[in-house]
Amino acid sequence: MIISEKWDKRFLKLAEHIATWSKDPSTQVGAVITLDKIVIAHGFNGFASGVSDDARYLHNREEKYPRTIHAELNAILTAKKDLKGHTMYCTHHPCASCTSAIIQSGIRRIVTYKPDADFRSRWNEDIGTSEGMCEDSGTIINLY
């Protein structure tokens, strides 16, 4: 079910708040999964539970990236339920890998912010792949 723009913006704001829980010093990302107007799960980018948040990892990209779970996948993993027909709200456009997980989980609608010029300049190819997968699978992506 597609809800109103007002609710979309509310859930995007909630995803923004959840993003602040990330300890990542460079990029904080939040995600919220809903069914209608009910929050089912949320996630933020960070290390897996039990993995040290030591600054030597957080401030070293080569050490940080392999340890990081993206917010979208974190939300899917914490949902622990069938997500067919749900909506995912993300503070950033999902990468192709997260888009694959979103589609595979049964989520059929993604709501996120339109990537700004800087983000698009760095991730344009990945965004294109993500959008192509959404089109192929019939997954709706709404950009605000």
Short mmCIF file of all heavy atoms in Angstrom, two decimals, residues 15-58:
data_model
loop_
_atom_site.label_atom_id
_atom_site.label_comp_id
_atom_site.label_asym_id
_atom_site.label_seq_id
_atom_site.Cartn_x
_atom_site.Cartn_y
_atom_site.Cartn_z
N ALA A 15 14.15 7.63 9.73
CA ALA A 15 15.38 7.01 9.24
C ALA A 15 16.58 7.93 9.48
O ALA A 15 17.66 7.47 9.86
CB ALA A 15 15.25 6.66 7.76
N GLU A 16 16.39 9.24 9.31
CA GLU A 16 17.46 10.20 9.59
C GLU A 16 17.87 10.14 11.06
O GLU A 16 19.06 10.18 11.39
CB GLU A 16 17.01 11.62 9.26
CG GLU A 16 16.98 11.94 7.79
CD GLU A 16 16.50 13.37 7.55
OE1 GLU A 16 16.87 14.28 8.33
OE2 GLU A 16 15.76 13.57 6.57
N HIS A 17 16.89 10.07 11.94
CA HIS A 17 17.19 9.98 13.37
C HIS A 17 17.95 8.69 13.68
O HIS A 17 18.95 8.71 14.41
CB HIS A 17 15.90 10.06 14.19
CG HIS A 17 16.13 9.84 15.65
ND1 HIS A 17 16.76 10.78 16.45
CD2 HIS A 17 15.87 8.78 16.45
CE1 HIS A 17 16.85 10.31 17.68
NE2 HIS A 17 16.32 9.09 17.71
N ILE A 18 17.49 7.59 13.13
CA ILE A 18 18.15 6.30 13.37
C ILE A 18 19.58 6.32 12.82
O ILE A 18 20.48 5.72 13.42
CB ILE A 18 17.30 5.16 12.79
CG1 ILE A 18 16.02 5.02 13.64
CG2 ILE A 18 18.07 3.85 12.73
CD1 ILE A 18 14.93 4.18 13.03
N ALA A 19 19.81 7.03 11.74
CA ALA A 19 21.16 7.15 11.18
C ALA A 19 22.14 7.73 12.19
O ALA A 19 23.33 7.36 12.20
CB ALA A 19 21.15 8.01 9.91
N THR A 20 21.68 8.59 13.09
CA THR A 20 22.57 9.21 14.08
C THR A 20 23.09 8.18 15.08
O THR A 20 24.02 8.47 15.83
CB THR A 20 21.88 10.36 14.84
OG1 THR A 20 20.82 9.84 15.66
CG2 THR A 20 21.34 11.41 13.89
N TRP A 21 22.51 7.01 15.13
CA TRP A 21 22.97 5.96 16.04
C TRP A 21 24.25 5.29 15.52
O TRP A 21 24.93 4.59 16.27
CB TRP A 21 21.90 4.91 16.26
CG TRP A 21 20.61 5.44 16.83
CD1 TRP A 21 20.39 6.69 17.36
CD2 TRP A 21 19.37 4.77 16.89
NE1 TRP A 21 19.08 6.82 17.76
CE2 TRP A 21 18.42 5.64 17.48
CE3 TRP A 21 18.94 3.50 16.51
CZ2 TRP A 21 17.10 5.28 17.69
CZ3 TRP A 21 17.61 3.15 16.71
CH2 TRP A 21 16.71 4.03 17.31
N SER A 22 24.55 5.49 14.24
CA SER A 22 25.76 4.91 13.65
C SER A 22 26.99 5.58 14.24
O SER A 22 27.01 6.80 14.44
CB SER A 22 25.75 5.11 12.14
OG SER A 22 26.99 4.74 11.58
N LYS A 23 28.01 4.79 14.48
CA LYS A 23 29.28 5.33 14.99
C LYS A 23 30.24 5.67 13.87
O LYS A 23 31.35 6.12 14.12
CB LYS A 23 29.92 4.32 15.94
CG LYS A 23 29.10 4.11 17.20
CD LYS A 23 29.75 3.11 18.12
CE LYS A 23 28.87 2.90 19.35
NZ LYS A 23 29.43 1.89 20.24
N ASP A 24 29.82 5.48 12.63
CA ASP A 24 30.68 5.77 11.49
C ASP A 24 30.97 7.27 11.45
O ASP A 24 30.05 8.08 11.39
CB ASP A 24 29.99 5.34 10.19
CG ASP A 24 30.90 5.39 8.99
OD1 ASP A 24 31.69 6.35 8.85
OD2 ASP A 24 30.83 4.45 8.16
N PRO A 25 32.24 7.65 11.48
CA PRO A 25 32.59 9.07 11.51
C PRO A 25 32.40 9.80 10.18
O PRO A 25 32.37 11.02 10.15
CB PRO A 25 34.06 9.08 11.93
CG PRO A 25 34.58 7.75 11.48
CD PRO A 25 33.42 6.79 11.58
N SER A 26 32.25 9.06 9.08
CA SER A 26 32.14 9.74 7.78
C SER A 26 30.74 9.72 7.17
O SER A 26 30.32 10.69 6.58
CB SER A 26 33.14 9.15 6.78
OG SER A 26 32.89 7.78 6.57
N THR A 27 30.04 8.62 7.30
CA THR A 27 28.70 8.52 6.70
C THR A 27 27.78 7.76 7.63
O THR A 27 28.06 6.62 7.99
CB THR A 27 28.76 7.78 5.34
OG1 THR A 27 29.69 8.43 4.49
CG2 THR A 27 27.40 7.77 4.66
N GLN A 28 26.69 8.39 8.00
CA GLN A 28 25.68 7.75 8.84
C GLN A 28 24.44 7.52 8.00
O GLN A 28 23.92 8.45 7.39
CB GLN A 28 25.36 8.61 10.06
CG GLN A 28 26.57 8.77 10.97
CD GLN A 28 26.26 9.59 12.19
OE1 GLN A 28 25.58 10.60 12.12
NE2 GLN A 28 26.78 9.15 13.32
N VAL A 29 23.99 6.26 7.96
CA VAL A 29 22.86 5.88 7.13
C VAL A 29 21.83 5.19 8.01
O VAL A 29 22.17 4.39 8.88
CB VAL A 29 23.29 4.92 5.99
CG1 VAL A 29 22.10 4.55 5.11
CG2 VAL A 29 24.40 5.55 5.16
N GLY A 30 20.56 5.51 7.78
CA GLY A 30 19.47 4.88 8.52
C GLY A 30 18.45 4.28 7.56
O GLY A 30 18.29 4.76 6.43
N ALA A 31 17.76 3.24 8.03
CA ALA A 31 16.72 2.60 7.24
C ALA A 31 15.57 2.18 8.15
O ALA A 31 15.79 1.80 9.31
CB ALA A 31 17.27 1.37 6.51
N VAL A 32 14.36 2.26 7.62
CA VAL A 32 13.16 1.86 8.35
C VAL A 32 12.31 1.02 7.41
O VAL A 32 12.10 1.40 6.25
CB VAL A 32 12.35 3.11 8.81
CG1 VAL A 32 11.04 2.70 9.47
CG2 VAL A 32 13.17 3.97 9.75
N ILE A 33 11.82 -0.11 7.91
CA ILE A 33 10.90 -0.95 7.15
C ILE A 33 9.52 -0.82 7.77
O ILE A 33 9.37 -0.91 8.99
CB ILE A 33 11.34 -2.43 7.17
CG1 ILE A 33 12.73 -2.59 6.55
CG2 ILE A 33 10.31 -3.31 6.44
CD1 ILE A 33 13.32 -3.99 6.69
N THR A 34 8.54 -0.57 6.91
CA THR A 34 7.16 -0.40 7.40
C THR A 34 6.20 -1.29 6.61
O THR A 34 6.49 -1.71 5.49
CB THR A 34 6.68 1.06 7.25
OG1 THR A 34 6.57 1.38 5.86
CG2 THR A 34 7.61 2.03 7.94
N LEU A 35 5.07 -1.50 7.22
CA LEU A 35 3.91 -2.07 6.55
C LEU A 35 2.76 -1.14 6.88
O LEU A 35 2.42 -0.97 8.06
CB LEU A 35 3.61 -3.50 7.03
CG LEU A 35 2.45 -4.19 6.30
CD1 LEU A 35 2.74 -4.31 4.81
CD2 LEU A 35 2.20 -5.57 6.90
N ASP A 36 2.23 -0.51 5.86
CA ASP A 36 1.25 0.56 6.04
C ASP A 36 1.89 1.65 6.90
O ASP A 36 2.93 2.16 6.54
CB ASP A 36 -0.05 0.03 6.61
CG ASP A 36 -0.69 -1.03 5.70
OD1 ASP A 36 -0.59 -0.88 4.46
OD2 ASP A 36 -1.26 -2.00 6.21
N LYS A 37 1.35 1.96 8.07
CA LYS A 37 1.92 3.01 8.93
C LYS A 37 2.58 2.42 10.17
O LYS A 37 2.78 3.12 11.16
CB LYS A 37 0.82 4.00 9.33
CG LYS A 37 0.25 4.76 8.16
CD LYS A 37 -0.87 5.67 8.59
CE LYS A 37 -1.51 6.34 7.40
NZ LYS A 37 -2.70 7.11 7.77
N ILE A 38 2.95 1.15 10.11
CA ILE A 38 3.54 0.47 11.27
C ILE A 38 5.01 0.19 10.99
O ILE A 38 5.36 -0.40 9.97
CB ILE A 38 2.79 -0.84 11.56
CG1 ILE A 38 1.33 -0.55 11.88
CG2 ILE A 38 3.46 -1.61 12.69
CD1 ILE A 38 0.44 -1.78 11.89
N VAL A 39 5.88 0.60 11.92
CA VAL A 39 7.31 0.32 11.81
C VAL A 39 7.54 -1.15 12.18
O VAL A 39 7.15 -1.60 13.24
CB VAL A 39 8.14 1.24 12.72
CG1 VAL A 39 9.61 0.84 12.70
CG2 VAL A 39 7.97 2.70 12.31
N ILE A 40 8.17 -1.87 11.27
CA ILE A 40 8.45 -3.29 11.46
C ILE A 40 9.88 -3.50 11.95
O ILE A 40 10.15 -4.34 12.80
CB ILE A 40 8.23 -4.07 10.14
CG1 ILE A 40 6.80 -3.87 9.62
CG2 ILE A 40 8.58 -5.54 10.30
CD1 ILE A 40 5.69 -4.30 10.57
N ALA A 41 10.82 -2.74 11.40
CA ALA A 41 12.23 -2.88 11.77
C ALA A 41 12.98 -1.61 11.37
O ALA A 41 12.49 -0.81 10.57
CB ALA A 41 12.85 -4.09 11.08
N HIS A 42 14.15 -1.45 11.94
CA HIS A 42 15.01 -0.33 11.57
C HIS A 42 16.46 -0.82 11.59
O HIS A 42 16.77 -1.86 12.17
CB HIS A 42 14.84 0.85 12.53
CG HIS A 42 15.23 0.52 13.94
ND1 HIS A 42 14.34 -0.01 14.84
CD2 HIS A 42 16.41 0.60 14.57
CE1 HIS A 42 14.97 -0.21 16.00
NE2 HIS A 42 16.23 0.15 15.85
N GLY A 43 17.32 -0.06 10.95
CA GLY A 43 18.74 -0.40 10.94
C GLY A 43 19.58 0.83 10.66
O GLY A 43 19.09 1.83 10.14
N PHE A 44 20.83 0.73 11.04
CA PHE A 44 21.80 1.79 10.73
C PHE A 44 23.10 1.11 10.34
O PHE A 44 23.32 -0.06 10.65
CB PHE A 44 21.98 2.77 11.90
CG PHE A 44 22.30 2.11 13.20
CD1 PHE A 44 23.62 1.90 13.60
CD2 PHE A 44 21.28 1.70 14.07
CE1 PHE A 44 23.92 1.30 14.81
CE2 PHE A 44 21.56 1.10 15.28
CZ PHE A 44 22.89 0.90 15.65
N ASN A 45 23.97 1.83 9.66
CA ASN A 45 25.22 1.23 9.23
C ASN A 45 26.18 1.13 10.42
O ASN A 45 26.24 2.03 11.26
CB ASN A 45 25.86 2.02 8.08
CG ASN A 45 26.18 3.46 8.43
OD1 ASN A 45 25.34 4.19 8.97
ND2 ASN A 45 27.39 3.89 8.12
N GLY A 46 26.87 0.03 10.47
CA GLY A 46 27.83 -0.18 11.55
C GLY A 46 28.35 -1.61 11.54
O GLY A 46 28.02 -2.40 10.66
N PHE A 47 29.14 -1.90 12.53
CA PHE A 47 29.72 -3.24 12.65
C PHE A 47 28.69 -4.19 13.25
O PHE A 47 27.78 -3.78 13.96
CB PHE A 47 30.96 -3.21 13.52
CG PHE A 47 32.08 -2.33 12.99
CD1 PHE A 47 33.11 -1.93 13.81
CD2 PHE A 47 32.10 -1.90 11.66
CE1 PHE A 47 34.14 -1.14 13.34
CE2 PHE A 47 33.13 -1.10 11.18
CZ PHE A 47 34.15 -0.73 12.02
N ALA A 48 28.86 -5.46 12.97
CA ALA A 48 27.98 -6.49 13.52
C ALA A 48 28.07 -6.49 15.05
O ALA A 48 29.11 -6.12 15.62
CB ALA A 48 28.37 -7.86 12.98
N SER A 49 27.00 -6.92 15.68
CA SER A 49 26.98 -7.01 17.15
C SER A 49 28.16 -7.85 17.61
O SER A 49 28.43 -8.92 17.07
CB SER A 49 25.69 -7.68 17.62
OG SER A 49 24.59 -6.89 17.28
N GLY A 50 28.88 -7.33 18.59
CA GLY A 50 30.02 -8.04 19.15
C GLY A 50 31.35 -7.71 18.50
O GLY A 50 32.40 -8.04 19.04
N VAL A 51 31.32 -7.03 17.35
CA VAL A 51 32.57 -6.62 16.70
C VAL A 51 32.97 -5.27 17.27
O VAL A 51 32.15 -4.36 17.38
CB VAL A 51 32.41 -6.53 15.16
CG1 VAL A 51 33.67 -5.99 14.50
CG2 VAL A 51 32.05 -7.89 14.58
N SER A 52 34.22 -5.15 17.65
CA SER A 52 34.72 -3.94 18.31
C SER A 52 34.52 -2.69 17.45
O SER A 52 34.82 -2.68 16.26
CB SER A 52 36.21 -4.10 18.61
OG SER A 52 36.75 -2.90 19.09
N ASP A 53 34.02 -1.62 18.09
CA ASP A 53 33.89 -0.31 17.44
C ASP A 53 35.14 0.52 17.66
O ASP A 53 35.09 1.75 17.69
CB ASP A 53 32.68 0.44 18.02
CG ASP A 53 31.36 -0.13 17.56
OD1 ASP A 53 31.27 -0.59 16.41
OD2 ASP A 53 30.40 -0.12 18.35
N ASP A 54 36.25 -0.12 17.78
CA ASP A 54 37.53 0.52 18.04
C ASP A 54 37.81 1.59 16.98
O ASP A 54 37.61 1.36 15.78
CB ASP A 54 38.63 -0.54 18.01
CG ASP A 54 39.96 -0.02 18.51
OD1 ASP A 54 40.53 0.90 17.87
OD2 ASP A 54 40.43 -0.52 19.54
N ALA A 55 38.29 2.75 17.41
CA ALA A 55 38.55 3.88 16.51
C ALA A 55 39.56 3.51 15.42
O ALA A 55 39.48 4.05 14.31
CB ALA A 55 39.06 5.08 17.31
N ARG A 56 40.45 2.59 15.69
CA ARG A 56 41.44 2.22 14.66
C ARG A 56 40.76 1.56 13.45
O ARG A 56 41.29 1.57 12.36
CB ARG A 56 42.53 1.32 15.23
CG ARG A 56 42.05 -0.02 15.67
CD ARG A 56 43.11 -0.82 16.38
NE ARG A 56 42.42 -1.89 17.06
CZ ARG A 56 42.93 -3.08 17.24
NH1 ARG A 56 44.14 -3.34 16.81
NH2 ARG A 56 42.24 -4.01 17.85
N TYR A 57 39.57 0.99 13.67
CA TYR A 57 38.79 0.42 12.57
C TYR A 57 37.88 1.49 11.95
O TYR A 57 37.77 1.59 10.74
CB TYR A 57 37.93 -0.75 13.03
CG TYR A 57 38.72 -1.91 13.60
CD1 TYR A 57 38.27 -2.57 14.73
CD2 TYR A 57 39.90 -2.35 13.01
CE1 TYR A 57 38.97 -3.64 15.25
CE2 TYR A 57 40.61 -3.42 13.53
CZ TYR A 57 40.14 -4.06 14.66
OH TYR A 57 40.84 -5.11 15.17
N LEU A 58 37.22 2.27 12.80
CA LEU A 58 36.26 3.27 12.32
C LEU A 58 36.91 4.36 11.47
O LEU A 58 36.27 4.93 10.59
CB LEU A 58 35.52 3.91 13.50
CG LEU A 58 34.46 3.05 14.16
CD1 LEU A 58 33.99 3.68 15.46
CD2 LEU A 58 33.28 2.84 13.23
#
